[in-house]
Amino acid sequence: MTAYIIRRLLLMIPTLLGIMLLNFVIVQAAPGGPVERMLAQIQGMDSDLQARMGGGGEMATGSSGGNAASSGSSSSKYRGAQGLDPELVTRIEKLYGFDKPAHERFWIMIQNYAVFDFGESFFRDKSVTDLVLEKMPVSILIASIGQASTQ
């Protein structure tokens, strides 16, 4: 019986890695992502987002109020980057780690997950771990009520 339990526990590791790899590939292949989202918000001149990137409106707009690089990044791999400074697009890619190859991003993700670093929430500007811990009491309460009602 002990050998069976040990075998099952050891099989969890490749299963978990396989699920994480599959999830990573699907997310990478899907259109849209953090870079495209940020580029779309910059095109909409979201001032909060520009402040987080380290400056005011001077990154996406010039002194005349128009686009700083009107002909700039038409060769960019992001449709939302048209009319934006290529240097800004490069900084956003570096911010989210898209300047590295996919296998390196996957390895970094595995390392971060191993120490329970799940990154920052796009919508709440808080650590994902903090958000999970914040909601944990409610989840435990609901689980305990459900468990009590089945007995």
Side-chain angles (χ1 to χ4, degrees):
M1 184 65 158
T2 305
Y4 174 75
I5 292 172
I6 291 172
R7 192 172 350 127
R8 297 301 289 180
L9 288 174
L10 289 176
L11 281 173
M12 284 175 35
I13 295 169
T15 303
L16 186 60
L17 285 173
I19 290 169
M20 289 170 46
L21 178 63
L22 183 64
N23 184 33
F24 181 81
V25 169
I26 290 171
V27 168
Q28 297 298 310
V35 175
E36 287 89 352
R37 181 175 180 267
M38 187 172 282
L39 290 172
Q41 286 181 339
I42 288 174
Q43 288 286 32
M45 304 304 167
D46 185 37
S47 61
D48 178 49
L49 181 70
Q50 290 177 359
R52 274 192 274 160
M53 281 301 295
E58 73 273 352
M59 279 195 275
T61 60
S63 59
S64 65
N67 285 345
S70 58
S71 63
S73 61
S74 60
S75 64
S76 176
K77 59 185 171 184
Y78 304 107
R79 281 193 297 171
Q82 294 176 353
L84 289 178
D85 185 17
E87 182 182 312
L88 175 64
V89 175
T90 304
R91 284 180 40 203
I92 293 171
E93 286 178 336
K94 186 176 177 102
L95 174 70
Y96 289 112
F98 283 91
D99 59 334
K100 298 177 177 80
H103 63 81
E104 193 173 333
R105 290 194 311 265
F106 180 71
W107 179 246
I108 291 169
M109 181 188 79
I110 297 291
Q111 289 174 327
N112 289 341
Y113 285 3
V115 294
F116 297 102
D117 177 11
F118 301 114
E120 295 287 320
S121 169
F122 285 123
F123 302 105
R124 304 241 175 121
D125 290 332
K126 289 177 73 175
S127 168
V128 172
T129 306
D130 291 342
L131 290 172
V132 169
L133 291 174
E134 183 180 301
K135 303 298 181 188
M136 188 72 72
V138 175
S139 298
I140 292 171
L141 178 65
I142 291 172
S144 62
I145 290 172
Q147 187 69 21
S149 67
T150 60
Q151 292 180 354

